[in-house]
Amino acid sequence: MGAPAGFLDGRVRSPDLAVFVSGVASMGLEILAGRIVAPQFGSSIYTWGTIIGVFLAALSAGYLRGGKLADRRADPKRLARLLLWTAVWVALLVFAGDLLLRSTVAFPLPSRAASLPAVVLLFGPPTYLLGFISPYGAELSRKEGLGEASGHVYAVGTIGSIVGAFGTTYLLVPSLGVDAIGFVFGVLLVATAAVLVLPSPSRDSIVAIGGVLVLLVASVATGAAGVAPEGTVVYQTQTPYQELEVIDSGDTRTLYLDGQRHSAMDRSDPTRHVFEYTRYFHLPYLFAEDPDDIDRVLFIGGGGFTGPKRFAEEYDATVDVVEIDPEVIGVAEEYFAVEESEQLRIHNDDGRQFLRESTETYDLIVLDAYKKDKVPFQLTTVEFMELADDRLSEDGMVFANVISAPSGPASRFYRAEYATMDAVYPNVYSFPTAGASAIQNIEMMATKNDTVVTEATLRERNTRRDIGIDLSAEIDDYRIEDDVGDAPVLRDEYAPVDTLLDPMVGQRYVIDETGTVENRSGGGDDPLRIAVAPSPAEPRVRPAE
């Protein structure tokens, strides 16, 4: 593609530069919006649709208003002021973005549109200001005709948007945190404003540029406004897939992914189950005819590697773990006492692709890659379950850690996943981990064996077998669904996972924690359960740095 004349041929004019940078900044802020909004509202198709729609609406409004004013007000100094005001708003996002985000959660909107007020408040104003740049740039263009000037500006702005999209996605997000990325865009806007007022800047221009730079530096230096989360932030980064934080509170170290607690470790006892739902991972050793037959285990999804670490320590089994995010693997090794060995092998890959290319046969496949608001649909369908079935031994099992509700409107994803697994495997069982109808971890077990394993059988085996953990309380949650209602069977061609997850938006997600002492021999006392239920209506504020 040829560059627009006068832009990339060594004769860059300042209005062209402003248009180019506005394209970079608008697209970069759009991608950044997803990272800022996702911890509160999720990153579903509805959130991204809202972000795209708001950005387009704000740009359109800016184009319209800017076009009306361009013929009498367009000049380089006004372009500079527009860029500086945009940089001021970016500084506000860096300093108080979390507080602004929190102020929007109480709006009585349907769950699908819950993110709309936040996106409008946080990103509407700067995007509106950036919309002025293109019509001003067209007015200041040296092109002879209106059509030529408009085409020139569209081309320059689009090139800027392409650079902003690829640069933010492949360079900034993997390398920097949200605040640092905002700072980069702010400095870029200020630097462009400085170019626009050269070669003879006025005193007011110099003061304004210097003041906005100081504001940007101060916003990054002071960190986010508001209350820091409980505990100490040990590590924080943006990965290509999610926001990642490691936070210590007492002896408990917790991995947060997109603002949600994903895994936890007792630093004084690294293989102890801190979250109650991870104890259920041992249920396959009661479902198996002979627990010693579980020789090969595959975990799809690593996180803090709670299950894989315990399995490698407790059982004579080889454990493979597939984790798509390389940063998660690095964090697990550095902060969660994960050490790769002949018994515990880690693979950086997509779970379905790994299974497709693998020639191994597994006795147990554990699906632990689902989140409350972000579920890779390709790991939920009949075709995936059939692929897993092909990779299982004759009496193999699939264990899925699903976040949903066991009943009520918020149970749609659970019921659909149950229907999907039931379409492939002879028997499917489920174990809600927090009772009632709250959003919680529901552990699902699918077996290739035709024989139904009853609750009484599980209790007898729990008493007789020494599997390193007493699961008598977990067996209380045993259920087999007779009717999943109108739940769809998910297929590659139709897996409306976002729609199924939609009723959970804005609802409380309950995670039970175990006590500080855990019995590791069969038949012992059940550990203390501590209910912990963080509410999405009260987002965890990013820490001050």
Side-chain angles (χ1 to χ4, degrees), residues 345-375:
R345 302 182 297 192
I346 302 173
H347 310 269
N348 179 208
D349 205 345
D350 172 80
R352 183 161 173 170
Q353 182 176 345
F354 177 87
L355 271 183
R356 187 185 302 116
E357 297 175 354
S358 175
T359 58
E360 300 285 353
T361 298
Y362 294 96
D363 303 304
L364 171 63
I365 296 176
V366 180
L367 301 179
D368 193 21
Y370 303 158
K371 296 184 188 176
K372 174 177 177 280
D373 52 20
K374 190 190 317 184
V375 175

Side-chain angles (χ1 to χ4, degrees), residues 206-506:
I206 295 173
V207 170
I209 291 170
V212 177
L213 272 178
V214 170
L215 190 62
L216 283 166
V217 172
S219 67
V220 172
T222 56
V227 181
E230 290 187 22
T232 303
V233 178
V234 178
Y235 182 73
Q236 181 181 33
T237 190
Q238 293 284 333
T239 83
Y241 300 93
Q242 56 211 332
E243 179 188 50
L244 184 155
E245 292 174 303
V246 178
I247 297 178
D248 283 351
S249 179
D251 283 338
T252 300
R253 172 165 290 171
T254 303
L255 174 67
Y256 285 83
L257 298 178
D258 281 338
Q260 297 178 12
R261 296 189 305 164
H262 187 275
S263 303
M265 180 186 73
D266 185 339
R267 288 188 290 162
S268 63
D269 187 359
T271 60
R272 183 179 75 84
H273 292 292
V274 176
F275 290 160
E276 174 65 28
Y277 77 84
T278 59
R279 291 170 51 85
Y280 292 74
F281 288 180
H282 298 266
L283 281 169
Y285 286 87
L286 298 182
F287 275 89
E289 288 289 339
D290 184 347
D292 291 335
D293 288 340
I294 302 179
D295 295 321
R296 297 293 311 278
V297 179
L298 172 65
F299 278 80
I300 297 180
F305 286 66
T306 301
K309 282 190 302 184
R310 183 68 176 265
F311 275 39
E313 177 192 76
E314 200 81 44
Y315 306 123
D316 184 20
T318 300
V319 181
D320 286 329
V321 184
V322 181
E323 169 59 51
I324 195 171
D325 193 337
E327 188 69 23
V328 169
I329 295 174
V331 164
E333 291 175 338
E334 184 169 355
Y335 297 103
F336 288 86
V338 174
E339 185 174 350
E340 193 168 8
S341 64
E342 291 186 3
Q343 191 174 359
L344 177 59
R345 302 182 297 192
I346 302 173
H347 310 269
N348 179 208
D349 205 345
D350 172 80
R352 183 161 173 170
Q353 182 176 345
F354 177 87
L355 271 183
R356 187 185 302 116
E357 297 175 354
S358 175
T359 58
E360 300 285 353
T361 298
Y362 294 96
D363 303 304
L364 171 63
I365 296 176
V366 180
L367 301 179
D368 193 21
Y370 303 158
K371 296 184 188 176
K372 174 177 177 280
D373 52 20
K374 190 190 317 184
V375 175
F377 85 90
Q378 70 273 17
L379 300 182
T380 68
T381 63
V382 164
E383 289 83 356
F384 172 76
M385 295 300 168
E386 290 173 342
L387 175 61
D389 180 73
D390 289 341
R391 297 295 181 268
L392 287 173
S393 58
E394 183 178 352
D395 290 323
M397 298 168 281
V398 169
F399 183 96
N401 177 29
V402 172
I403 300 176
S404 186
S407 60
S411 68
R412 295 175 64 189
F413 176 58
Y414 158 66
R415 290 186 289 111
E417 192 63 6
Y418 193 102
T420 302
M421 296 175 77
D422 193 49
V424 177
Y425 297 96
N427 291 302
V428 181
Y429 313 82
S430 64
F431 296 80
T433 63
S437 59
I439 309 299
Q440 60 192 274
N441 295 81
I442 303 176
E443 310 310 326
M444 300 177 63
M445 169 72 72
T447 63
K448 294 181 71 171
N449 195 314
D450 291 337
T451 303
V452 174
V453 179
T454 65
E455 182 177 349
T457 299
L458 292 177
R459 293 195 181 283
E460 185 273 330
R461 291 175 177 176
N462 183 64
T463 301
R464 176 168 50 87
R465 294 177 178 177
D466 181 6
I467 62 170
I469 190 169
D470 174 23
L471 297 176
S472 56
E474 286 71 23
I475 296 171
D476 289 340
D477 301 319
Y478 174 100
R479 59 193 283 181
I480 294 181
E481 299 290 352
D482 296 323
D483 183 13
V484 293
D486 59 352
V489 173
L490 305 179
R491 299 185 181 277
D492 283 352
E493 65 177 3
Y494 181 70
V497 172
D498 287 320
T499 301
L500 297 171
L501 297 175
D502 183 52
M504 295 193 289
V505 175

Side-chain angles (χ1 to χ4, degrees), residues 18-91:
V19 171
F20 175 79
V21 169
S22 71
V24 173
S26 62
M27 186 56 69
L29 287 175
E30 187 170 341
I31 295 172
L32 193 62
R35 289 308 179 102
I36 292 176
V37 173
Q40 175 60 36
F41 298 103
S43 58
S44 70
I45 190 174
Y46 305 114
T47 300
W48 275 108
T50 297
I51 291 171
I52 294 170
V54 167
F55 270 75
L56 290 175
L59 283 172
S60 297
Y63 294 152
L64 181 63
R65 182 60 178 166
K68 291 180 178 180
L69 299 176
D71 61 342
R72 67 179 186 275
R73 300 192 63 180
D75 62 56
K77 291 183 179 179
R78 285 195 169 91
L79 276 177
R81 282 199 289 270
L82 287 168
L83 294 172
L84 289 176
W85 277 115
T86 305
V88 168
W89 194 267
V90 170

